[in-house]
Amino acid sequence: MMIRTALPVLIAPLMLTWAAARGFGADTPHPLADPGDNFGGALAPFGDTAGGIWSVLVAGAFLAGFAAVVGDADRRWPARRVVVGAAAILGLLTLDHTLLMLLGYLPMLIGRLIAGNTDAVADLASPGLGVQVSVAVGVVALLLAVRRRAPAEPPADVRSALAAATARNRRWTMIAMEAPLVYAASRLLMFVEAPGFGGFDEMTRLAGLGLAFASITGAILTWGLMRPWGERFPRWMVGLAGRRVPVDLAVIPAMAVAGLVLAASRAVLIGMLEAPVGAWDRVLGSPLVSLPHLLWPLWGVSLAFAALSYQRRRRLSDLLSRSAAVTTDHDTGAHRRSAGVTS
């Protein structure tokens, strides 16, 4: 069963090996170092050959991570987690901001498709997008596999551990909401051309408006990590009202977005270091538009910790509930036996 659930991990090394072969070839660019591809800029600063070498390295890391999660569990499990963590980090360093942008622009793309505009669909037929999606899927699959395989030992004091997890959950969730809301505010002000946010054409402002609504939606969903409706579906959700929210339904998307935000942070940092003077002039000319990007590393880290603390809080809450139910059943049985002896 573990091999079957971990199989998506292998998509990444297969695609990375194919990408490396293209990068080493004389006639084809590396899919992630292709200036003609909107999704092909992740390794562009390093060139085809370096991109190919990096792809081979990351493919090997994914294979090592796959071997770690499907191997027999033994005392070396902490070392296996280090291997998986290293593979996940290398995978994230292979991505850039375009997947996060695609996620933010998705509502606009859907709206354009409904309106009959199919021009944007051609951009999605991209080798770079295929490689990036495969790497992102591989990272998520690795982390899910290692989570399922890791030994889970209940704490000695479940109630105290639950209180600590709840406090961490609330703290990290509040931090994780701030960055997208600040970013959304900057894009809304850019759309209305508020002082300090002007100088952009209509298409850029409309795109910013779409990103603002996507960021607000993300912040609201993040809020659910510490709200009751993040544990049970609210009453207005017909067919699901009152049912428990599966933990993975909250944790997996949050961890995926956190990874994409961190990947985008890496791309933003490289872009800042390599930006020509003219680009810096534009940034300095509208700092209130550009500065929210500096919050992205904090956003990614805090969202990951919020998701993990939510998962631990839910797990400890379930453990405490089961313990209370067992105690109640035991007390009820003891009471009935006592009543029988008395009568």
Side-chain angles (χ1 to χ4, degrees), residues 169 173 221-227 230 250-251 254 303 306-307 310 313:
N169 183 198
T173 300
L221 293 175
T222 301
W223 189 33
L225 294 176
M226 67 176 191
R227 299 296 300 165
V251 173
L303 182 56
Y310 166 88
R313 177 175 65 82

Side-chain angles (χ1 to χ4, degrees), residues 16 24 43 49-59 89-91 93-94:
L16 286 167
F24 293 141
L43 302 178
T49 302
I53 295 172
W54 176 262
S55 298
V56 171
L57 173 65
V58 179
I89 292 172
L90 291 176
L93 290 174
T94 309

Side-chain angles (χ1 to χ4, degrees), residues 168-217:
R168 286 196 302 270
N169 183 198
R170 180 178 181 81
R171 180 172 63 251
W172 285 115
T173 300
M174 294 297 293
I175 295 173
M177 291 174 60
E178 293 173 1
L181 289 176
V182 171
Y183 181 81
S186 69
R187 268 48 193 170
L188 289 173
L189 292 170
M190 186 177 77
F191 178 73
V192 300
E193 298 186 286
F197 295 87
F200 298 93
D201 57 55
E202 182 179 3
M203 184 57 66
T204 301
R205 290 189 290 112
L206 284 174
L209 181 63
L211 290 174
F213 284 118
S215 298
I216 292 172
T217 301

Side-chain angles (χ1 to χ4, degrees), residues 100-110 183 204 206-208 210-211 214:
L100 185 65
M101 287 182 60
L102 178 62
L103 189 64
Y105 284 127
L106 197 57
M108 179 182 294
L109 289 176
I110 295 174
Y183 181 81
T204 301
L206 284 174
L211 290 174

